[in-house]
Amino acid sequence: MFKIKSATLVICVLVFFLNLSLCDMAFAYIDPGAGSALFQLIIAGLAGLLWIVKVYWQKIISFFSRKKNGKKTPPQ
Amino acid sequence: MDQKKILIAPLSSSFRDPAGFVFKASQGIQRAVTHYGRAYYDVLMQSPLYEELVQKKWLVAHREVKNEDGNFYKILEPKQIPVITYPHEWSFSQFKDAALLTLKIQLRAMDLGLSLRDATPYNIQFVGTDPIHIDTLSFEKLINQPWKAYKQFCEMFLAPLALMSERSLNFNKYMAVDLNGMDLLLSSRLLPCLSWLNPIYLIHLHLHALSQKKYADSSHDTKNISMSPQRLKMLIHGLFDGVQSIRLRNHKTEWSHYYESQTHYGEDAHNFKADQIKRWILDIAPKQTLDLGGNDGKFSRIASELGSYTLCVDLDANCIERNYLSSKTNGDRNMLPVFLDLSKPSPQIGWSCTERDSFFNRVAPDLTMALALIHHLRISLSVPLDLIALFFSKIKGYLIIEFVPKDDPMVQKLLLTREDIFWDYSEENFKKCFGQYFRFVEQVQIPGTNRNLCLLQSNS
């Protein structure tokens, strides 16, 4: 489990730096929030992916826990 | 344009947003919506979001009142907030609840095609233990762009929360130094190395800080960046889950289990003190009570349970945290725990030193309590008795104060490590100093101790 988590984090960091290098385009004006706005573009996919994985993982867990609980409870 | 016509004075904290401002009217605090702010106000009011948020008690309710001079689009009278507190006066869980409420509102707003255009903790206030958003003009139409308030959220909510969790429970006190929140690069450096392994800190603090550093000196026009609401929503969901997962480490302090571990007080003395305070509170029937040095709210609760809106103030963030959590669990809607060090209470700060008011300008108690506090002020903080009396004289109404004499075991404990240079600290001088500003209504000795519990009434 720890290995999977670590691997995900390593991928996150690699994807981030790859994206950072690809986003080096020329624009017009210095904005204090420029880094944050561009950063959202970079991480949105990543954060979204993590969130989807989490949602489906919870669904799988709840499916099996329901099934398990269902076996324990005798039918009325 | 609107600025030239303004006849009513905005509060000193309300000048950044041209969409409107708050001001003090005879009926209480009101909000003016400027003609520029019309779009922001209408987008909220024409959406079902306003009704839903008000019903959930996530957003302050308001009514439109007569716009007499017609200089503004609308004048709103919001439901009044009893006492304004600032993020540097909150406990960890108060801070976390404020952050989660902001994200919950943003997620619900996005469902209905709106978005928050700022995400500052100053927009969240506590009514007892319930956080509520107080800025009606914070909403705008959702467009295909990144969240404008993302940076602000990370600097003003996420970074302080991370540092409170990972470094020090009272780290939020530094929010009083910088009203714009914690700089992300500084926060990233202050967080422990292991925090790089936590996805929420990794993405939204460490990598975000690097991104800010990278683009700080570049010239990027970010006004027209496109980002789909679906992608943004997933990002906010991730942020919400991340904030929810931030936990408090086990911080134990000298004061955190004070009443459980006390050996200087018998149960009878304790009960006597509680009963006497209850009798006085029933007589005074204070609307607002201020309990200074209130620890985890043991005695404050007497006032809050009797219907007085009670501020329990303490310098120990752990006690404030415990009080907040227990009051929340018990549904005590009259209790507002406040993290404050009396040796350096929140001053006036921000623009022109008036943007954010001092703590004592924001409270108006009918009753102040200072139980087993005076010896700490005199001996631990070295404040002479006459200056302590002068300080209390500025808070009007009644004062319940416990005088702890020099022969008390707790005072002796304080004197163990220092020379006794506190010659003015006597009951006689206490009465003389406080007698300048107060009338002694009643005083009783706590059984089994030499301590005196006194009820005083302000002369002015």
Side-chain angles (χ1 to χ4, degrees):
Chain A
M1 189 65 190
F2 181 74
K3 277 181 184 171
I4 295 169
K5 208 173 174 182
S6 304
T8 315
L9 291 173
V10 170
I11 292 167
C12 288
V13 178
L14 289 176
V15 169
F16 170 76
F17 283 110
L18 183 68
N19 274 318
L20 212 61
S21 61
L22 292 175
C23 274
D24 199 5
M25 299 165 285
F27 289 91
Y29 182 66
I30 297 167
D31 178 355
S36 296
L38 291 166
F39 182 70
Q40 286 181 71
L41 287 183
I42 298 166
I43 59 156
L46 195 68
L49 189 72
L50 288 174
W51 187 69
I52 289 168
V53 167
K54 191 196 150 193
V55 168
Y56 278 93
W57 181 247
Q58 279 173 344
K59 279 185 180 174
I60 291 165
I61 296 285
S62 70
F63 175 77
F64 280 108
S65 62
R66 260 207 315 273
K67 217 171 173 181
K68 208 176 169 185
N69 289 340
K71 276 181 187 171
K72 277 180 187 172
T73 317
Q76 297 297 309
Chain B
M1 279 295 269
D2 286 320
Q3 292 299 317
K4 289 178 185 170
K5 296 178 187 172
I6 290 172
L7 297 172
I8 42 182
L11 290 186
S12 52
S13 60
S14 193
F15 61 88
R16 292 187 197 279
D17 186 0
F21 61 86
V22 287
F23 62 96
K24 202 169 184 178
S26 54
Q27 303 91 326
I29 299 296
Q30 295 190 342
R31 182 182 295 277
V33 183
T34 62
H35 291 290
Y36 169 79
R38 178 180 185 154
Y40 297 120
Y41 180 67
D42 285 348
V43 79
L44 173 68
M45 299 312 289
Q46 286 163 8
S47 150
L49 184 67
Y50 171 76
E51 287 296 337
E52 185 184 325
L53 296 184
V54 166
Q55 200 207 348
K56 286 178 172 168
K57 294 187 176 170
W58 290 0
L59 177 67
V60 73
H62 70 260
R63 66 184 187 96
E64 291 179 8
V65 295
K66 207 174 170 189
N67 184 2
E68 279 170 355
D69 57 15
N71 284 338
F72 302 101
Y73 175 55
K74 298 277 184 195
I75 300 287
L76 313 178
E77 188 177 284
K79 197 173 173 193
Q80 302 293 296
I81 304 295
V83 175
I84 298 292
T85 53
Y86 296 147
H88 47 270
E89 296 163 348
W90 297 344
S91 74
F92 172 82
S93 291
Q94 283 174 302
F95 217 110
K96 184 173 164 179
D97 285 351
L100 290 174
L101 178 69
T102 304
L103 293 175
K104 279 193 287 189
I105 291 175
Q106 171 65 5
L107 283 169
R108 194 60 199 124
M110 289 178 75
D111 285 339
L112 297 170
L114 277 78
S115 177
L116 282 174
R117 58 193 185 101
D118 52 9
T120 158
Y122 289 97
N123 278 349
I124 307 289
Q125 283 302 320
F126 282 87
V127 178
T129 51
D130 297 329
I132 189 165
H133 196 288
I134 58 164
D135 191 356
T136 316
L137 296 175
S138 273
F139 297 85
E140 65 180 356
K141 198 168 178 286
L142 180 64
I143 45 172
N144 290 352
Q145 283 192 353
W147 189 27
K148 276 182 198 164
Y150 173 69
K151 174 177 176 274
Q152 193 178 35
F153 183 87
C154 292
E155 288 176 341
M156 297 197 77
F157 278 115
L158 186 58
L161 268 173
L163 289 161
M164 286 166 89
S165 167
E166 298 291 333
R167 286 299 188 206
S168 166
L169 184 53
N170 57 16
F171 210 101
N172 57 323
K173 67 183 175 186
Y174 298 107
M175 295 279 286
V177 177
D178 193 342
L179 294 181
N180 295 324
M182 299 298 300
D183 175 76
L184 290 187
L185 261 178
L186 176 65
S187 303
S188 175
R189 284 178 191 147
L190 290 173
L191 283 166
C193 297
L194 279 176
S195 67
W196 281 79
L197 296 177
N198 182 331
I200 177 83
Y201 299 152
L202 171 73
I203 296 174
H204 299 289
L205 293 179
H206 295 303
L207 300 183
H208 189 179
L210 289 178
S211 173
Q212 281 193 342
K213 191 180 174 187
K214 179 176 170 66
Y215 294 110
D217 297 325
S218 59
S219 48
H220 288 155
D221 177 7
T222 54
K223 286 197 294 290
N224 298 315
I225 291 179
S226 176
M227 183 172 175
S228 76
Q230 288 75 19
R231 290 182 80 192
L232 181 58
K233 204 168 174 186
M234 284 194 284
L235 189 138
I236 308 287
H237 268 297
L239 202 51
F240 182 86
D241 287 347
V243 171
Q244 207 165 34
S245 71
I246 301 175
R247 297 270 181 268
L248 199 54
R249 311 221 175 270
N250 189 20
H251 298 278
K252 195 177 175 189
T253 56
E254 182 190 356
W255 303 102
S256 56
H257 290 83
Y258 181 67
Y259 291 119
E260 286 90 331
S261 59
Q262 65 181 351
T263 50
H264 58 288
Y265 241 48
E267 204 182 326
D268 288 347
H270 201 277
N271 291 340
F272 175 88
K273 185 171 158 182
D275 288 345
Q276 185 60 58
I277 290 167
K278 188 175 180 178
R279 268 197 293 279
W280 282 338
I281 291 176
L282 281 168
D283 284 347
I284 300 165
K287 274 188 187 168
Q288 191 185 108
T289 299
L290 177 63
D291 187 5
L292 298 174
N295 200 272
D296 62 1
K298 197 175 182 73
F299 292 102
S300 317
R301 210 153 283 125
I302 299 171
S304 69
E305 284 173 0
L306 289 172
S308 179
Y309 194 76
T310 304
L311 287 97
C312 177
V313 172
D314 206 276
L315 59 73
D316 191 311
N318 211 352
C319 290
I320 295 303
E321 173 72 5
R322 282 181 45 176
N323 188 4
Y324 175 70
L325 292 177
S326 63
S327 299
K328 201 173 151 185
T329 309
N330 299 331
D332 187 347
R333 294 179 166 271
N334 286 322
M335 176 72 81
L336 176 55
V338 181
F339 166 57
L340 190 91
D341 185 345
L342 279 180
S343 69
K344 37 186 181 292
S346 309
Q348 283 193 300
I349 44 173
W351 175 250
S352 193
C353 284
T354 56
E355 186 178 349
R356 301 290 169 196
D357 224 341
S358 75
F359 175 75
F360 287 101
N361 279 345
R362 284 177 271 134
V363 294
D366 310 294
L367 170 67
T368 303
M369 299 203 290
L371 306 171
L373 176 72
I374 195 164
H375 56 305
H376 291 293
L377 300 181
R378 179 63 194 105
I379 294 165
S380 308
L381 297 183
S382 298
V383 185
L385 267 186
D386 54 345
L387 291 185
I388 297 172
L390 180 66
F391 163 74
F392 280 103
S393 75
K394 291 171 187 167
I395 313 170
K396 306 298 175 202
Y398 286 91
L399 170 66
I400 296 177
I401 188 164
E402 180 180 355
F403 184 77
V404 186
K406 237 180 206 175
D407 59 3
D408 187 275
M410 296 313 279
V411 178
Q412 288 300 311
K413 198 176 163 187
L414 289 179
L415 289 172
L416 273 179
T417 52
R418 67 198 93 192
E419 185 190 350
D420 183 359
I421 49 166
F422 312 101
W423 308 294
D424 65 334
Y425 191 69
S426 67
E427 191 163 346
E428 190 191 354
N429 197 36
F430 159 72
K431 285 179 180 166
K432 189 181 154 203
C433 293
F434 278 76
Q436 294 177 81
Y437 313 105
F438 294 92
R439 179 174 71 87
F440 278 73
V441 180
E442 196 180 342
Q443 59 177 344
V444 289
Q445 190 174 347
I446 300 172
T449 73
N450 286 330
R451 298 179 175 203
N452 270 337
L453 199 58
C454 310
L455 174 66
L456 281 64
Q457 187 180 18
S458 172
N459 288 337
S460 52

